[in-house]
Amino acid sequence: MSTNHDVSKLDDLIVTTIDSARGYEHSAKHADAGRFQQFFADMAEERRRVVEALSQKSRELGGTPAEYGSTAATIHRRVEDLRRVLGGGDGAILSEIERGEDYLKEEFDRVLNDERMSTGALGVVRECYTSVLKGHDTTRKLRDLMQAAE
């Protein structure tokens, strides 16, 4: 168990969670007729709280948490825009969010299963994982409901 290892893994989760928050913010602005805007806005706020919790732990361990997301996530949001413009509407948005949620969940799962993580860092990651599961599962349910209605 190394502090550097913990900081590195926390910082990876921070960047990925910033991507998630920005994705939800982006989706809230583009949802058709405001149908899912509140859910997207609420999840963006929830993800900002997760970023803050992870960042606080990283700082406690001597890290300097990132304040930016990844280039890949910016490209992902552009793909979402393209799918929406081509007639995908909210269904396209939910599909893209679900893909992002799957990735975020995998990243958290990877850290939670990392035997080199300290107990303290894992505790914070576990607390944040609750939000990840909520977003993942809710998005999947909404997407499934939309697909069933089509």
Side-chain angles (χ1 to χ4, degrees):
M1 292 181 272
S2 141
T3 300
N4 289 337
H5 181 76
D6 285 356
V7 168
S8 174
K9 295 303 177 181
L10 289 169
D11 289 349
D12 289 346
L13 292 178
I14 290 165
V15 169
T16 306
T17 307
I18 288 171
D19 290 343
S20 177
R22 289 187 176 160
Y24 276 117
E25 290 166 352
H26 182 81
S27 297
K29 293 177 188 171
H30 295 94
D32 292 341
R35 177 171 34 180
F36 298 114
Q37 280 180 328
Q38 191 59 54
F39 168 69
F40 296 150
D42 291 347
M43 286 307 302
E45 181 59 32
E46 176 69 22
R47 292 300 156 80
R48 284 190 290 276
R49 286 191 292 271
V50 168
V51 167
E52 185 49 41
L54 294 170
S55 296
Q56 181 178 345
K57 187 63 176 178
S58 176
R59 283 189 292 275
E60 284 175 20
L61 297 172
T64 306
E67 296 178 4
Y68 55 87
S70 69
T71 302
T74 301
I75 293 168
H76 182 87
R77 287 189 294 276
R78 296 298 94 45
V79 168
E80 176 187 308
D81 288 343
L82 182 60
R83 289 183 70 186
R84 182 179 44 80
V85 168
L86 293 174
D90 284 348
I93 291 173
L94 286 169
S95 289
E96 288 304 312
I97 286 178
E98 186 192 10
R99 285 182 50 214
E101 288 296 301
D102 286 344
Y103 179 75
L104 182 63
K105 183 179 177 297
E106 287 172 14
E107 291 298 302
F108 269 81
D109 286 339
R110 201 175 345 269
V111 172
L112 288 168
N113 292 313
D114 186 333
E115 294 176 3
R116 293 177 53 204
M117 293 293 290
S118 71
T119 304
L122 277 176
V124 172
V125 173
R126 277 190 197 98
E127 288 174 24
C128 294
Y129 191 62
T130 303
S131 170
V132 171
L133 289 177
K134 174 185 172 186
H136 179 270
D137 295 348
T138 303
T139 300
R140 177 166 285 162
K141 286 176 190 172
L142 291 173
R143 189 225 40 205
D144 291 347
L145 286 171
M146 278 201 75
Q147 286 177 347
E150 292 176 348

